[in-house]
Amino acid sequence: MIYGPRADWVLVRVSRARDVKGLQMPQTAVEGKEFTVEAIGPDALEHGPLKVGDKVLMTGSKSGAEFYPLPNNHELILIRSEFVALVLREEE
């Protein structure tokens, strides 16, 4: 399936989690997890450069961020780009 987020939404996949595998990740449990960008909405770049494949950390639920797990795949989460706090890139 191909996903195409709209506006400033970003679709991310849990790529490194400290949770036990097989447990469903709660909507607000994003602290300490690394995510991989899967798809980017056309307006997401106004909050900084992002590209598919980037590893990112997001601000937590205490900041008022809203997270929407996809109903058919709880590893995929939809978030507004403004809540991407850090892009992890290798040194060149």
Side-chain angles (χ1 to χ4, degrees), residues 19-83:
D19 294 340
V20 177
K21 275 194 168 185
L23 294 179
Q24 189 176 45
M25 186 179 74
Q27 182 170 332
T28 56
V30 298
E31 292 86 357
K33 292 181 177 61
E34 182 180 297
F35 296 87
T36 302
V37 175
E38 295 287 321
I40 303 167
D43 300 330
L45 299 179
E46 69 185 48
H47 295 288
L50 274 179
K51 62 182 188 275
V52 172
D54 277 347
K55 304 288 187 211
V56 299
L57 298 177
M58 296 185 288
T59 57
S61 57
K62 294 178 180 121
S63 68
E66 295 179 57
F67 303 93
Y68 300 98
L70 269 58
N72 59 341
N73 186 340
H74 292 283
E75 288 184 351
L76 291 173
I77 299 171
L78 198 57
I79 183 171
R80 291 218 181 259
S81 61
E82 66 187 284
F83 296 112

